[in-house]
Amino acid sequence: MGQTALETPQARPRLVIGVAGASGVAYGLRALAACRDLGVESHLVMSRAAALTLAQETALSVADVQAMADVAYRPGDVGAAIASGSFPTLGMLIAPCSVRTMSEIATGVTSSLMTRAADVTLKERRPLV
């Protein structure tokens, strides 16, 4: 990851993928694989709880999952490119989405990069799934 996301020329569409701590981490993994197969640039953010669920549900490490994405962000990096409305994306997918993450998004609380990116996605009227 030599360039920052803002410096990368947008040659292909971008999708933000969030993986929260709920059971079902396979959905996030499949979304990353689908992005790769479809030529969509993936921007990944995983919650701290997702790392715990990942260890319980798969034999993969966080680094393994981050390597599946084009760009990966730390969960506390609220200043990352995906937290800016000027960073064009197709939208955001959070899979799986925990109740906590869903609640933060619904109430406008942005305590992490994932919920901040979701908030920006909604503000910019982009799809959030």
Side-chain angles (χ1 to χ4, degrees), residues 70-121:
D70 291 296
V71 182
Y73 302 92
R74 294 184 321 273
D77 186 7
V78 294
I82 60 173
S84 172
S86 64
F87 186 72
T89 68
L90 295 170
M92 183 173 184
L93 168 70
I94 303 176
C97 187
S98 66
V99 170
R100 177 182 178 162
T101 298
M102 179 190 60
S103 298
E104 286 188 15
I105 295 166
T107 60
V109 174
T110 57
S111 67
S112 68
L113 177 57
M114 187 173 330
T115 54
R116 172 69 182 141
D119 187 56
V120 167
T121 299

Side-chain angles (χ1 to χ4, degrees), residues 1-11 14 41 43 71 73 81 87:
M1 295 191 283
Q3 294 178 318
T4 65
L6 288 176
E7 295 170 344
T8 305
Q10 189 179 358
R14 298 173 175 145
E41 186 177 291
H43 290 257
V71 182
Y73 302 92
F87 186 72

